[in-house]
C-alpha cells in the first residue's frame, strides 16, 4: 500500500478497498497515521498483513501477524515472537523461493497461544544485508548504518505500535535466519 498525504485521497482509497472486499470476509482497518508512518491492516481469518512506511529505513516494512485462534474471545495478554525474513513464514506468494514455512498451520494444529509477527525483509538483497550487518564489509553496496536504524525502528516504532494494537505480555522473542540470526 502507499502513503496518501491528503485526507480526501485516503478516505477515497479506504472506501474503494471496502467496496472491493465487501463480500470476501476481509476487513480493512486504518490503524494509525502520522508523519513517520501510515498503516493499513488487512485481516484474513487470524492472519493480518500491514505495511509501515518508515522514513528512518526509507522503505515500506511489511508485517504479517498470526493471532491465536481464541484471541478475540478473551482479554488475555500473549507471548510474542518476532520473526525476521518474515516473507518466508506464512504465505507462499511472499516467500523468496515460492514456498513458505506455513507456520500458521503448525501453530493452529498445536493450539499455540502466541502472537507471531513476521517482519518482511527488503526485496533487494544488499538492502537486507545492510539492515542486518552493523559493521563494515568489503561490499561497497552495503550501508552498515541501516543496521542501527533497523534496531531503532524495531525498538522505538514497531514494538510500541504493536503493544498498542495487540495484547502483548512482557515475554518476547526475536528469531532470525542466516544474517538475521
Amino acid at each position: 500500500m502507499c502513503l496518501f498525504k491528503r485526507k480526501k485521497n485516503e478516505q477515497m482509497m479506504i472506501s474503494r478497498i471496502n467496496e472491493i472486499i465487501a463480500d470476501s470476509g476481509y476487513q480493512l482497518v486504518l490503524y494509525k497515521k502520522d508523519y513517520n508512518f501510515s498503516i493499513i491492516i488487512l485481516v484474513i481469518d487470524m492472519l493480518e498483513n500491514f505495511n509501515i512506511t518508515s522514513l528512518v529505513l526509507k522503505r515500506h516494512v511489511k508485517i504479517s501477524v498470526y493471532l491465536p485462534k481464541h484471541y478475540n474471545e478473551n482479554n488475555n495478554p500473549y507471548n510474542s515472537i518476532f520473526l525476521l525474513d518474515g516473507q518466508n513464514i506464512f504465505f507462499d506468494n511472499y516467500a523468496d523461493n515460492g514456498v513458505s514455512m506455513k507456520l500458521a498451520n503448525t501453530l493452529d494444529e498445536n493450539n499455540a497461544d502466541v502472537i507471531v509477527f513476521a517482519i518482511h525483509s527488503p526485496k533487494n538483497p544488499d538492502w537486507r544485508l545492510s539492515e542486518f550487518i552493523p559493521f563494515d564489509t568489503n561490499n561497497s553496496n552495503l550501508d552498515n548504518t541501516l543496521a542501527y536504524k533497523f534496531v531503532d525502528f524495531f525498538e522505538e516504532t514497531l514494538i510500541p505500535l504493536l503493544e498498542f494494537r495487540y495484547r502483548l505480555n512482557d515475554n518476547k522473542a526475536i528469531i532470525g535466519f542466516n544474517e538475521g540470526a
Side-chain angles (χ1 to χ4, degrees):
M1 301 283 172
C2 59
L3 177 64
F4 287 83
K5 299 200 184 272
R6 294 186 195 149
K7 189 171 187 173
K8 182 179 179 184
N9 287 344
E10 187 175 307
Q11 290 170 340
M12 288 172 44
M13 178 202 61
I14 292 169
S15 294
R16 181 66 185 127
I17 291 173
N18 279 325
E19 287 173 19
I20 293 169
I21 65 175
D23 295 319
S24 66
Y26 297 94
Q27 175 188 359
L28 178 70
V29 179
L30 181 63
Y31 174 66
K32 182 170 181 172
K33 181 176 186 253
D34 70 18
Y35 67 94
N36 281 324
F37 55 87
S38 71
I39 299 174
I40 294 177
I41 301 174
L42 187 60
V43 180
I44 309 171
D45 295 320
M46 296 311 285
L47 284 172
E48 299 180 357
N49 289 298
F50 60 90
N51 289 318
I52 299 176
T53 302
S54 171
L55 298 179
V56 173
L57 296 177
K58 299 179 182 159
R59 74 175 180 97
H60 299 289
V61 180
K62 181 183 257 324
I63 311 289
S64 296
V65 183
Y66 169 84
L67 297 174
K69 286 181 183 180
H70 304 290
Y71 182 81
N72 292 321
E73 298 170 10
N74 63 60
N75 290 320
N76 300 339
Y78 288 87
N79 296 336
S80 53
I81 299 173
F82 298 85
L83 296 172
L84 303 177
D85 288 326
Q87 68 277 7
N88 298 315
I89 306 303
F90 298 119
F91 304 104
D92 289 345
N93 59 321
Y94 293 150
D96 290 336
N97 64 2
V99 180
S100 72
M101 295 172 62
K102 296 178 182 58
L103 185 61
N105 297 340
T106 303
L107 295 169
D108 283 344
E109 289 167 7
N110 291 289
N111 293 315
D113 277 340
V114 64
I115 299 175
V116 177
F117 300 101
I119 304 159
H120 297 226
S121 296
K123 295 205 182 282
N124 179 320
D126 288 335
W127 197 291
R128 175 188 173 274
L129 290 176
S130 293
E131 287 185 356
F132 291 152
I133 300 176
F135 50 84
D136 287 329
T137 66
N138 293 332
N139 187 340
S140 61
N141 294 327
L142 301 185
D143 175 5
N144 65 315
T145 63
L146 279 176
Y148 298 102
K149 291 176 183 177
F150 182 78
V151 170
D152 289 344
F153 164 78
F154 194 86
E155 291 178 340
E156 296 171 13
T157 301
L158 185 61
I159 296 292
L161 180 72
L162 297 176
E163 287 176 336
F164 180 80
R165 169 70 174 91
Y166 302 96
R167 296 185 313 273
L168 306 181
N169 62 27
D170 291 335
N171 299 321
K172 296 176 178 67
I174 184 169
I175 300 171
F177 306 94
N178 300 320
E179 296 85 359

